[in-house]
Amino acid sequence: MVDDQPSTAPEQPQPYDIVYLRTGNRLGIAPETPLTVADFGPAAGVWELHHQEQHPDYWDWAAAVTTSDIATVLRLSPQSARSWSLIHPEEHP
């Protein structure tokens, strides 16, 4: 993991969040498949994702995605769980 974490808005995915990708995403991942944000990617607006531990490809798969690939973010904390859909500006001119 990188020591210098990019600052992101609270509504953007953070490491350990669970995300669901949009239907028809470029990776071919089903939209109901939960993925874990492992780290910030090499550029702003990019996240590294892993399958969850119970998934058979957990050890053999990782991907980098952008905001346009992500449909929903789920953030768990000791106090609560919160989920929201990301706004895709290209779809809301």
Side-chain angles (χ1 to χ4, degrees), residues 12-13 17-22 25-29 35-50 61-73 86 88:
Q12 294 296 307
D17 283 349
I18 297 167
V19 296
Y20 295 88
L21 301 184
R22 298 173 69 178
N25 63 76
R26 63 186 176 79
L27 300 172
I29 300 292
L35 301 165
T36 301
V37 177
D39 203 353
F40 296 99
V46 177
W47 292 272
E48 178 185 337
L49 303 182
H50 292 177
W61 185 90
V65 300
T66 64
T67 303
S68 63
D69 295 311
I70 298 172
T72 306
V73 179
L86 292 183
H88 301 284

